[in-house]
Amino acid sequence: MVQVEERYKDISYHRCGVGLNHLAFHAASREQVDEMTVKLEERGVHILYKDRHPYAGGENYYAVFFEDPDRIKVELLAPN
């Protein structure tokens, strides 16, 4: 784990602010998205759009969206 210098600790970050806010990765399959979702939940990772999961991106968009420790949105998308 990388630690931030003391002088930067009080600078807050939010993914809706200026800067990097979203990383997307392609999964090999829908099963991989499902497996990763279970692993993330087991680790207490905040799953975004839980009420629409796994179709939060749309009817034909199978993905899991979650936040990393810095609150950057991360997406793992299955192929069609």
Side-chain angles (χ1 to χ4, degrees), residues 5-74:
E5 293 180 29
E6 193 66 38
R7 63 185 168 156
Y8 297 116
K9 281 188 175 183
D10 65 344
I11 299 172
S12 63
Y13 173 83
H14 193 281
R15 65 184 167 80
C16 293
V18 175
L20 178 67
N21 71 354
H22 185 168
L23 291 172
F25 299 93
H26 286 277
S29 64
R30 288 181 175 210
E31 291 78 16
Q32 187 179 30
V33 170
D34 295 339
E35 290 168 9
M36 183 58 72
T37 301
V38 169
K39 290 178 182 180
L40 291 165
E41 290 176 326
E42 288 174 350
R43 290 178 171 87
V45 173
H46 179 71
I47 304 295
L48 298 171
Y49 322 118
K50 188 92 170 167
D51 61 326
R52 294 178 280 153
H53 173 77
Y55 297 103
E59 185 178 315
N60 297 314
Y61 202 90
Y62 198 94
V64 60
F65 295 85
F66 58 97
E67 288 184 330
D68 80 353
D70 292 318
R71 299 204 61 209
I72 295 173
K73 179 170 38 174
V74 181

